Amino acid sequence: MGGLGLLHDHIAEVLLWCALLGLAYGLALASLGGLVVGAVAQEKTGVVTGINTILRTVGGALGSELAAVIVASSATAPGRPPEESGYTTAFVVAAAIALCAAAVTATRGAVTARPGSKAVNAELGEGR
C-alpha cells in the first residue's frame, strides 16, 4: 500500500501495485478461514467463522472510512476535487497500519491447531 502511495507516476506502476495488493489480499483472506477453523474445537467452528467474517467486515468499513476522511480532507475548498497528496497520505497511513498489525502478529505465539484438524494436517499429507 505504501508503494502505491509513493510510486504512482506511471500507469504501469499503479497496475503493478494493484496486482500485488490483489494477490496479497487473495492469499491472506483465502488462508485465514482455514487457520481459524483449524485452531478451535470442531463444535465452535460456526461461531469463529462468523466472528472472523464480522471482524473482516468491520475492519474493511473502518479502513474505507478512514481513507475517505484522509482523501476528502485534502480538498482545498468545498466542491473541489481532492489533491493527490490526500491519496498518497491515505495509502501511506494504510501501509503503516498494516505494518503495525504485522508487528503485533509477529510478537504473538503460534496458533496451536486442534488434533486431527484437516485444515492443518492437509499440509502434512495426513488426513487423506
Side-chain angles (χ1 to χ4, degrees), residues 39-124:
V40 298
Q42 190 171 2
E43 63 272 4
K44 295 183 180 181
T45 56
V47 173
V48 298
T49 55
I51 291 171
N52 177 41
T53 301
I54 290 169
L55 291 176
R56 283 181 19 199
T57 302
V58 169
L62 292 175
S64 298
E65 290 302 316
L66 177 62
V69 166
I70 293 171
V71 171
S73 69
S74 70
T76 56
R80 303 277 308 173
E83 298 290 322
E84 180 184 355
S85 63
Y87 294 97
T88 302
T89 303
F91 280 116
V92 171
V93 167
I97 292 170
L99 284 174
C100 290
V104 168
T105 302
T107 61
R108 299 194 41 95
V111 175
T112 305
R114 65 178 157 83
S117 169
K118 291 186 180 186
V120 174
N121 291 343
E123 279 185 21
L124 303 174

Side-chain angles (χ1 to χ4, degrees), residues 1-7 17 88 91-92 94-96:
M1 285 179 265
L4 185 56
L6 300 174
L7 301 172
W17 285 113
T88 302
F91 280 116
V92 171

